[in-house]
Amino acid sequence: MDREPGLGVGAVARHLGVAAATLRTWDRRYGIGPSGRSPGGHRRYTPTDLARLEAMQRSIIAGAPPAEAARAALDEPRGEPPSSRGHGAGGNRVPLGDLPAGSDPAEVRGLARAAMAMDAPAMTLAVRAAIAREGVVGAWDRLIVPVLRGIGRKNAASGECVEVEHLLSTVLLACLAEVAPPAEPLNARPVLLACAPEEQHSLPVHALAAALAQAGVAVALLGARVPAPALAAAIRRTGPNAVLVWSQTARTGDPGWLSGLPGSRPAVRLLVGGPGWNRRRLPSTTRLVTDLSEAVAAISSAFTRP
Ligand code: B12
């Protein structure tokens, strides 16, 4: 057997420390397999094949989704890691801009890459890990928002990636929904979270719901595109302590209707958030909150553990 050129799948599997079945899957799925033949006609891994697999494995360990790691390794004649020539992003590069203080650039790039590869399991792992490590506020500010903004920039520049926005949003909504509501909420009266009428960008209110859950506050999350009469009815029915309305885009940011919302006894606190609002026209009874931690603090400061 040693006299045959190249390596068999078992030897390569042992060398890389992966299962032989994984190598067969990579071959079938990503076309990264043995290119040589033994005299007997069996497929054999050449040194170049092995270098490519090593490069692919390094990229996966560094956070790249397997499909992208394989593509990059196959593009390299000798299987050098993609980072060695700043390659690998190409048309898939997400313009991430300056990252907020405390962001881990490798982690942000990893989530952006997983998003561009439409690799939902990899996105889920990255987001779950960040929420577990630093809580919803940290994960949102330092990992999720930079990636959302980067993909938004890419969309603004090219009109592309709407499908990426959709899949990433689905993953984020699922991860945020995994945050359990507080078993013994601090608040007796509810907190209502809603998007302005016709506003589909609901991720920030889901992030706020999850962050408030971690702060011990229970919320009623009405979600995207809440018609003004429906929000008014919800206020009358629940007598909330606070209401926050989100507007992401100028199209939904005319605040004229806000002053028509009912007050309740004791008075409901009306907060607004999001870059869509026409700030000059906001009613004086509203408070504009500008980031997630400010929103959590503004809402939860009214409640104290008895
Ligand atoms: C995800 C996303 C979607 C998802 C939304 C899914 C969902 N359930 O939310 C989907 C795919 C549905 C979608 C659809 C559309 N989208 Co869109 N989308 C986005 C994206 C990538 C992220 C939105 C988001 O959650 N932002 C939250 C944070 C990241 O927003 P931010 O403005 O940076 O945050 C600031 C503050 O708001 C604050 N902040 C951040 N988080 C929080 C949380 C709280 C509680 C508070 C108080 C403050 C706060 O901090 C920042 C200021 O320092 C943005 C890009 C972007 N930059 O936002 C585009 C973006 C908002 N979308 C855009 C557009 C054009 C659309 C569409 C019209 C067309 C399209 N591209 O598909 C449609 C239709 C939407 C509609 N009719 O309402 C544009 C809007 C342009 C504009 N200025 O009007 C953007 C900016 C992308 C771009 N092209 O530039 N979108």
Side-chain angles (χ1 to χ4, degrees), residues 91-175:
N92 273 347
R93 179 175 288 114
V94 176
L96 293 168
D98 289 338
L99 298 181
S103 283
D104 174 351
E107 192 185 21
V108 176
R109 277 197 303 273
L111 178 59
R113 269 198 304 261
M116 291 305 294
M118 300 198 69
D119 185 341
M123 288 186 252
T124 304
L125 285 180
V127 173
R128 271 193 195 141
I131 292 176
R133 196 180 59 244
E134 41 184 333
V136 171
V137 174
W140 177 254
D141 286 346
R142 290 190 278 276
L143 173 65
I144 299 170
V145 168
V147 174
L148 286 171
R149 285 195 186 153
I151 289 170
R153 276 187 212 111
K154 201 169 169 68
N155 169 255
S158 64
E160 291 169 5
C161 297
V162 175
E163 68 288 0
V164 174
E165 286 181 5
H166 274 271
L167 185 62
L168 176 59
S169 300
T170 307
V171 166
L172 292 173
L173 293 173
C175 292

Side-chain angles (χ1 to χ4, degrees), residues 25 41 55 65 83 87 118 128 134-135 140 170 183 189 213 225 253 260 263 275 300:
T25 305
S83 56
H87 158 98
M118 300 198 69
R128 271 193 195 141
E134 41 184 333
W140 177 254
T170 307
R189 292 163 63 206
R225 305 175 68 170
S300 59

Side-chain angles (χ1 to χ4, degrees), residues 45 49 126 135 164 166 169 187 201 244 249:
Y45 287 85
D49 297 334
V164 174
H166 274 271
S169 300
N187 50 323
H201 294 93
L244 181 135
T249 55

